[in-house]
Amino acid sequence: PSTEILENLSEYKDVYSEWATNEKVALEVAAGASMAGARALATMKHVGLNVAADPLFTLAYTGVNGGLVLVVADDPGMHSSQNEQDSRFYARSAHIPMLEPSDSAECYAMIQRAFELSEAYDTPVMLRLVTRIAHARSLVEKGERAALELRPYVKDAKKYVMMPGNAKGRHVAVEARERKLRADLPSLGLAHAEWNGTQLGVVCSGSAYNYVKEALPEASVLKLDMVYPLDEEAIRAFSSKVERLVVVEELEPFFEDAIKAMGIIGRAHV
């Protein structure tokens, strides 16, 4: 489900692109570009993310220089894959923020937002697609492209060389980064409540949002653009105003488990 991303990106002659030997190499090449000061993107589907997991978890510790975005396309229903897999767990395990769009216009906007977040919080950012979004078409309003200078490279072995002595210090930085991001979430505007009464409230994201809008037009909806870390303040505020809370998500009960851990009990539909 992710192949067309690179095929189309390669048509932009002023953007350097290449196919790598495998997904691990692809992410490492993108990481090198980021460390040198350029914005860089690596794209793959969920099975490829398994191959790229080694550098991914280390990049969570090193952070970035130029913005670094990893686009991963999950394949619910296995339209072109050998298994189903929920990449949201990679974001949680690596402590890396993840965004999830619900249509083509949001894909366009969230890539820009992902680069901005990456540079603001010194972290790789993941963008999760699914097949139904990757192979969908919708109207997109394009903006003007901004010419960005390379960010200066500063040699910093303690930041970029993950020997155990340095990694221990960077682990502290990862925890501090995530705490700051969680604290900032209410001001980032990445959770959207759409009100249509208080009888039924649905928490969802991505393609599931489209299913909810079609199947449950009477429901109020909390749409999460950032699926990790979760905006707990927004979820608590939304759940407190509805009589029944339902979680709708594809594949694993990622939101459901997190919301239950907050002490909010909902009923999940997969």
Side-chain angles (χ1 to χ4, degrees):
S2 69
T3 303
E4 294 89 346
I5 295 174
L6 197 56
E7 288 178 344
N8 284 280
L9 188 62
S10 66
E11 297 296 317
Y12 292 83
K13 301 305 178 184
D14 53 348
V15 177
Y16 177 79
S17 62
E18 67 178 38
W19 276 259
T21 304
N22 58 41
E23 292 84 0
K24 176 179 183 292
V25 174
L27 185 54
E28 289 173 339
V29 170
S34 167
M35 291 176 186
R39 284 185 169 181
L41 178 149
T43 177
M44 60 198 67
K45 73 175 182 179
H46 64 283
V47 181
L49 183 57
N50 298 330
V51 181
D54 178 17
L56 173 67
F57 279 79
T58 301
L59 286 169
Y61 277 42
T62 66
V64 304
N65 186 14
L68 178 60
V69 177
L70 171 60
V71 180
V72 56
D74 289 356
D75 191 14
M78 295 169 282
H79 300 277
S80 59
S81 304
Q82 61 268 47
N83 60 44
E84 283 188 321
Q85 195 171 295
D86 194 328
S87 296
R88 293 177 294 178
F89 290 96
Y90 271 104
R92 188 178 73 182
S93 184
H95 299 278
I96 290 175
M98 174 181 274
L99 303 175
E100 184 171 12
S102 65
D103 60 23
S104 303
E106 288 189 356
C107 289
Y108 181 83
M110 284 189 188
I111 282 289
Q112 176 67 26
R113 193 71 186 275
F115 278 118
E116 294 168 353
L117 290 169
S118 176
E119 292 170 351
Y121 291 92
D122 188 19
T123 179
V125 174
M126 298 177 70
L127 185 80
R128 183 199 188 216
L129 306 177
V130 296
T131 305
R132 293 304 187 192
I133 299 301
H135 288 177
R137 293 175 181 236
S138 60
L139 294 174
V140 176
E141 183 176 346
K142 296 169 64 177
E144 294 295 324
R145 185 177 174 199
L148 298 175
E149 298 293 329
L150 292 176
R151 293 161 70 100
Y153 170 73
V154 178
K155 186 175 181 179
D156 188 347
K158 288 187 177 181
K159 184 177 191 295
Y160 292 119
V161 181
M162 286 302 96
M163 300 298 287
N166 295 337
K168 291 175 183 178
R170 291 302 301 173
H171 181 84
V172 174
V174 169
E175 296 290 339
R177 177 184 73 205
E178 188 167 54
R179 285 195 298 271
K180 176 171 173 45
L181 180 56
R182 288 183 185 276
D184 291 348
L185 276 176
S187 65
L188 294 178
L190 294 169
H192 312 279
E194 301 175 6
W195 291 103
N196 191 20
T198 59
Q199 185 174 358
L200 174 62
V202 180
V203 179
C204 57
S205 68
S207 61
Y209 167 76
N210 299 316
Y211 305 148
V212 168
K213 296 295 285 185
E214 180 178 349
L216 299 170
E218 76 284 0
S220 294
V221 175
L222 179 64
K223 178 178 178 291
L224 302 174
D225 291 346
M226 180 170 281
V227 299
Y228 186 82
L230 291 176
D231 189 338
E232 183 172 344
E233 182 177 313
I235 294 170
R236 288 190 179 279
F238 180 79
S239 65
S240 69
K241 297 175 183 177
V242 298
E243 297 175 26
R244 183 182 179 213
L245 184 68
V246 174
V247 180
V248 179
E249 55 189 331
E250 289 189 301
L251 299 181
E252 303 297 327
F254 185 84
F255 291 158
E256 181 191 9
D257 289 347
I259 291 171
K260 285 181 177 178
M262 297 174 191
I264 303 167
I265 304 301
R267 175 167 164 249
H269 293 265
V270 179

